[in-house]
Amino acid sequence: MRVSMTGVVVVVAVLVAATVVGVWRRRRDGRLRAASAAPTGHAALDALGVRPGEVTLVQFSAPVCAPCRATRRVLEQVTGEVAGVRLLEVDAERHLDAVRALDVWRTPTVLLVDGAGRVVRRAAGVPARDELTAALRPLLAQARR
């Protein structure tokens, strides 16, 4: 059996591209990043039950999403350890208007909402507990002032 060199090159190129995308996604998955400075989504957050004066973790999830369950466990640990943080889980399929308004592209997505009702940080994927806790402490200090 004779294999063409073009076929081998195509297969190798596809494998390399898939590996690069996989590594990039793994490094980015679950990382907290700054939210955009645009004040969009206030009405959507209000409709979901975010209350002014409270630091809130909003998790967008779906019933068939396995990482959503892991994210819920992490968020429950954090809210159990850090006083003053409220957890709000949102079914993305039932709240499509909020999904669009808050620019949620996948589940799980976690939004950190400060006491003024602004989304200040966000993570797509399962966030690290320590990173999440560190990001919440300054928000809580500001909310107490």
Side-chain angles (χ1 to χ4, degrees):
M1 181 171 136
R2 188 170 175 197
V3 178
S4 77
M5 193 58 158
T6 304
V8 172
V9 169
V10 169
V11 168
V12 169
V14 168
L15 289 174
V16 168
T19 301
V20 168
V21 169
V23 168
W24 172 79
R25 182 160 179 192
R26 178 169 283 179
R27 287 186 178 203
R28 190 165 188 232
D29 201 39
R31 298 280 181 195
L32 287 175
R33 57 186 212 280
S36 68
T40 60
H42 277 291
L45 290 170
D46 291 343
L48 294 173
V50 173
R51 297 186 292 239
E54 291 185 335
V55 175
T56 308
L57 292 171
V58 180
Q59 177 189 349
F60 284 89
S61 58
V64 296
C65 170
C68 294
R69 291 187 287 278
T71 299
R72 184 181 317 110
R73 284 191 297 274
V74 169
L75 297 181
E76 286 173 346
Q77 286 176 349
V78 168
T79 56
E81 295 170 1
V82 181
V85 178
R86 183 169 175 241
L87 174 59
L88 183 62
E89 188 170 359
V90 177
D91 183 343
E93 293 174 8
R94 294 179 186 225
H95 295 91
L96 291 176
D97 290 341
V99 165
R100 288 183 196 103
L102 296 166
D103 202 26
V104 174
W105 285 85
R106 62 179 272 218
T107 58
T109 292
V110 177
L111 306 178
L112 278 71
V113 182
D114 68 4
R118 294 180 306 239
V119 177
V120 292
R121 311 272 289 170
R122 64 187 304 134
V126 182
R129 185 173 56 92
D130 295 339
E131 186 181 11
L132 195 55
T133 302
L136 285 169
R137 296 214 186 272
L139 298 179
L140 289 165
Q142 288 174 353
R144 290 184 183 125
R145 289 184 206 168

